[in-house]
Amino acid sequence: MTLTTALALGQTALKLGLICSLTVLALFLSYSMLNVCDLSTDGCFTLGAAVGAAVAICGHPFLSIFAAMLAGACSGFVTAFLQTKLGVESLLAGIIVNTGLYSINIAVMGGSSLLNMNKTTTVFSMMKEALSSTPFAAQTELIIGLIAVICVVAFLVFFLKTRLGLAIRATGNNADMVKSSSINPVFTTIVGLCIANSFTALSGCLLAQSQKSVDINIGQGMVTIALASLLIGGTVMGRGGILKRAVGMVLGAVIFRLVYTIALRFNMPAFMLKLVSSIIVVLAISGPYLKSQWPQIRRRLTHKKGGI
Amino acid sequence: MLKLNHISKTFNPGTVNEKVAVKDLSLHLKKGDFATIIGSNGAGKSTLFNAICGDFLTDSGSVVLDGVDITFQPQHVRAKSIGRLYQDPMRGSAPGMSIEENLALAAGSGGWLSHISKADKERFREQLALLDIGLENRMSQPVGLLSGGQRQALTLLMSTMDPPKLLLLDEHTAALDPATAEKVLNMTKRIVEENHLTCLMITHNMHSALELGNRTLMMDSGNIVLDISGKEREGLTVDGLLEKFNAGAGKELDNDRILLSKKK
């Protein structure tokens, strides 16, 4: 592999990693902070992509981003409402919303399962035009991804230290404590999931616009991929403050994409992505568990061999 | 301050598991009253606290706190005026958050988007220093690193920083070792006295039940069978209290932990 191909690989991984890290940051809020495994992530990602594309095609490139985020927040609200007010199990609420979103996404895309944005003005095409005379023209996606990531990380660092942010963290950290304090867990869960899902939708919107197309399956398996990135990021960065952990999430997303891109380079077929992400999640979750079980397993083995 | 009017609560009504936890219980606490509660197993002591805090709605009767009828108020709204400590020291604070973040949540000042200010930190530091267990130098450490006694002391501070109208202590020293338990109990005494808190404390220790506060309640089968205060309480010994209980409840006290605590 020459240096140029390596650089090109790194760039693709960085570009995709940055855009997808927004979903990882969303899970950082819902999964790590609020302790809710939000299985509506896949559908919400596609929703963001579909709404973003539909609005951009109508000729509103900037509005498309906010419309996508608003749509994501609405989807998060429904998921949260189901689990806090209507007595639906948290995991089930996510699955139900995810299923429902499939129909909504096709409806948003005008009944088709594919939208093309080849001639649509998006933030990416606008940025490319603005940078056309500079050497950064080829890095548009990187720059926009970076801006979005910095904004979201900055928001999270600010937000999670406010009183509301602390309340959301406490809701996920000690439900008993929240119950007997003056925090309303219904309110914190709703706010947390709305914000998290708006980031997921933003992530989908940006990915679709950078690829210039949306397909109904764009978000499939996103929750596992994001979870894999989240666990990698957590391992890489270890314990620390919110900023350090959030940066870890972005790093995790980029590392995941990098490994995947390299694997593709070694002739791994593209359809293996989902399997690889599933295996990473299993390893990351069961690794520490098996490690804690190891002394017992070893004792059993020595016992079988006739030892003590 | 607190008025319970004929409250009742039955769990699993109409099933084989039906359990009458609290039955037609009335209680009137004056402002500044510090009442200790002892009673046999399953007498309804914790259920009484749950009813006051709104963990569930009572089947009948009303709960009035400081002139406000809170019978149907949601739990988190009541929690603004009620502080509560559980027996399990892990229940009262968030282990993944730092000491100052826990305190900031409990302090409840400022808007939803406000950050912890320098003044807040200074106030937390002063309050922590009063506990005299060195927590004031560990404010940015996660609460999960603290021992049970330290966490219970922190929870005590958290629930009394904005003095609540009512403080409920549910055997909050029972899970601690004797030396730590005494330390936390002394803190409790000091904080309750300084803030003139109205307080209900469940205990299994007959000595504390008589020593602490100005009133002792004994519960059995979901009701208060004995309510002593003033002169009657002053000269009372543990044996005297047991005799009174037997007379009031019409049976022997069956709480092993209480009986074991008879000899100090």
Side-chain angles (χ1 to χ4, degrees):
Chain A
M1 206 190 314
T2 63
L3 191 65
T4 34
T5 43
L7 269 180
L9 278 186
Q11 204 182 347
T12 323
L14 195 58
K15 181 188 88 186
L16 275 173
L18 282 178
I19 292 179
C20 290
S21 72
L22 298 172
T23 308
V24 186
L25 288 166
L27 286 199
F28 176 60
L29 183 58
S30 62
Y31 183 74
S32 305
M33 293 295 160
L34 204 51
N35 204 13
V36 170
C37 191
D38 184 4
L39 293 181
S40 69
T41 300
D42 291 8
C44 184
F45 190 87
T46 316
L47 178 70
V51 170
V55 177
I57 287 171
C58 291
H60 302 286
F62 288 111
L63 188 65
S64 73
I65 291 174
F66 295 105
M69 289 179 77
L70 185 66
C74 291
S75 142
F77 177 82
V78 175
T79 315
F81 191 78
L82 286 180
Q83 57 184 278
T84 51
K85 283 288 184 191
L86 298 183
V88 182
E89 266 311 308
S90 161
L91 286 177
L92 193 56
I95 294 172
I96 292 172
V97 170
N98 195 36
T99 309
L101 279 175
Y102 186 84
S103 308
I104 292 180
N105 289 337
I106 293 202
V108 169
M109 286 158 45
S112 90
S113 59
L114 193 73
L115 272 191
N116 208 313
M117 286 186 281
N118 272 331
K119 286 175 190 148
T120 309
T121 313
T122 64
V123 277
F124 289 93
S125 66
M126 289 166 76
M127 184 73 122
K128 199 162 204 158
E129 215 164 285
L131 294 175
S132 57
S133 55
T134 67
F136 300 113
Q139 325 289 344
T140 340
E141 286 136 334
L142 258 184
I143 293 168
I144 291 180
L146 202 61
I147 293 172
V149 166
I150 290 173
C151 289
V152 169
V153 169
F155 173 80
L156 280 178
V157 170
F158 167 83
F159 178 71
L160 288 172
K161 287 194 175 147
T162 61
R163 243 176 77 69
L164 181 56
L166 291 178
I168 286 178
R169 287 164 62 193
T171 309
N173 202 223
N174 189 348
D176 272 337
M177 163 195 172
V178 168
K179 263 193 351 203
S180 57
S181 67
S182 52
I183 303 165
N184 182 0
V186 174
F187 175 65
T188 50
T189 307
I190 290 178
V191 172
L193 283 186
C194 282
I195 295 176
N197 279 284
S198 72
F199 293 157
T200 307
L202 172 67
S203 182
C205 167
L206 290 182
L207 184 69
Q209 296 195 356
S210 73
Q211 290 177 348
K212 295 184 180 155
S213 73
V214 195
D215 136 43
I216 188 70
N217 292 323
I218 192 172
Q220 195 155 54
M222 210 53 214
V223 67
T224 317
I225 294 174
L227 217 46
S229 311
L230 181 132
L231 295 167
I232 295 174
T235 316
V236 171
M237 273 306 198
R239 289 166 168 271
I242 300 288
L243 176 63
K244 192 178 164 197
R245 290 175 68 186
V247 171
M249 297 302 114
V250 181
L251 269 185
V254 174
I255 292 173
F256 179 84
R257 286 291 163 177
L258 202 60
V259 172
Y260 171 66
T261 327
I262 292 172
L264 278 184
R265 182 77 194 165
F266 287 107
N267 292 330
M268 183 189 81
F271 59 76
M272 296 298 281
L273 168 70
K274 313 270 148 112
L275 180 62
V276 172
S277 56
S278 299
I279 293 174
I280 291 181
V281 172
V282 171
L283 286 182
I285 293 179
S286 61
Y289 170 75
L290 288 178
K291 203 172 150 193
S292 70
Q293 296 286 307
W294 177 238
Q296 282 188 36
I297 299 171
R298 200 173 47 188
R299 190 177 171 309
R300 207 169 281 172
L301 287 178
T302 40
H303 184 76
K304 256 186 194 163
K305 279 185 205 149
I308 308 156
Chain B
M1 179 56 82
L2 176 72
K3 261 189 198 156
L4 302 176
N5 302 316
H6 304 283
I7 58 167
S8 298
K9 178 71 190 177
T10 305
F11 291 111
N12 308 312
T15 70
V16 282
N17 292 324
E18 183 173 289
K19 163 91 182 130
V20 181
V22 171
K23 201 172 151 191
D24 195 30
L25 186 149
S26 295
L27 174 67
H28 183 189
L29 277 186
K30 287 195 287 289
K31 193 171 163 53
D33 261 357
F34 183 167
T36 55
I37 304 178
I38 48 177
S40 35
N41 300 328
K45 306 182 294 282
S46 295
T47 308
L48 173 66
F49 277 16
N50 290 341
I52 296 172
C53 289
D55 286 51
F56 48 72
L57 292 182
T58 51
D59 297 335
S60 59
S62 65
V63 183
V64 181
L65 182 63
D66 200 17
V68 183
D69 187 339
I70 60 168
T71 315
F72 296 101
Q73 235 176 36
Q75 201 175 2
H76 67 272
V77 180
R78 303 182 192 200
K80 288 193 181 103
S81 37
I82 303 176
R84 186 179 195 185
L85 264 78
Y86 297 95
Q87 181 174 348
D88 181 359
M90 306 302 153
R91 283 184 80 169
S93 45
M97 293 162 65
S98 69
I99 294 178
E100 63 185 19
E101 285 170 340
N102 271 283
L103 285 170
L105 264 183
S109 53
W112 277 120
L113 291 179
S114 62
H115 278 77
I116 306 175
S117 67
K118 277 229 171 80
D120 285 337
K121 278 191 191 175
E122 211 38 59
R123 182 160 75 105
F124 298 160
R125 191 182 299 280
E126 278 168 20
Q127 300 261 3
L128 282 167
L130 288 179
L131 296 181
D132 196 23
I133 45 177
L135 291 184
E136 64 275 18
N137 302 319
R138 303 171 61 181
M139 280 176 40
S140 54
Q141 282 185 19
V143 166
L145 297 178
L146 304 184
S147 70
Q150 289 169 329
R151 271 183 84 163
Q152 202 65 312
L154 177 67
T155 311
L156 181 65
L157 179 57
M158 283 167 64
S159 44
T160 52
M161 207 158 35
D162 279 335
K165 288 176 181 165
L166 178 68
L167 180 64
L168 301 178
L169 307 167
D170 190 348
E171 297 204 48
H172 69 302
T173 60
L176 310 176
D177 67 78
T180 317
E182 197 179 332
K183 214 169 176 182
V184 172
L185 208 56
N186 287 335
M187 277 174 206
T188 313
K189 250 193 271 183
R190 179 180 58 77
I191 290 178
V192 170
E193 271 168 24
E194 277 174 8
N195 298 303
H196 311 289
L197 295 177
T198 311
C199 180
L200 272 176
M201 178 170 108
I202 298 176
T203 176
H204 66 267
N205 188 315
M206 307 274 272
H207 296 280
S208 342
L210 286 176
E211 260 168 44
L212 289 171
N214 59 353
R215 193 168 165 188
T216 298
L217 307 171
M218 281 190 119
M219 284 186 72
D220 187 66
S221 310
N223 216 326
I224 296 172
V225 291
L226 191 65
D227 179 351
I228 41 175
S229 55
K231 282 237 165 66
E232 190 187 6
R233 188 171 179 266
E234 269 167 27
L236 203 60
T237 60
V238 170
D239 285 322
L241 188 61
L242 271 180
E243 263 170 43
K244 275 188 185 293
F245 176 85
N246 295 345
K251 63 174 187 182
E252 300 256 318
L253 188 72
D254 66 350
N255 188 326
D256 297 344
R257 284 193 302 155
I258 290 187
L259 295 175
L260 285 171
S261 78
K262 244 178 83 178
K263 298 185 191 89
K264 203 171 186 179

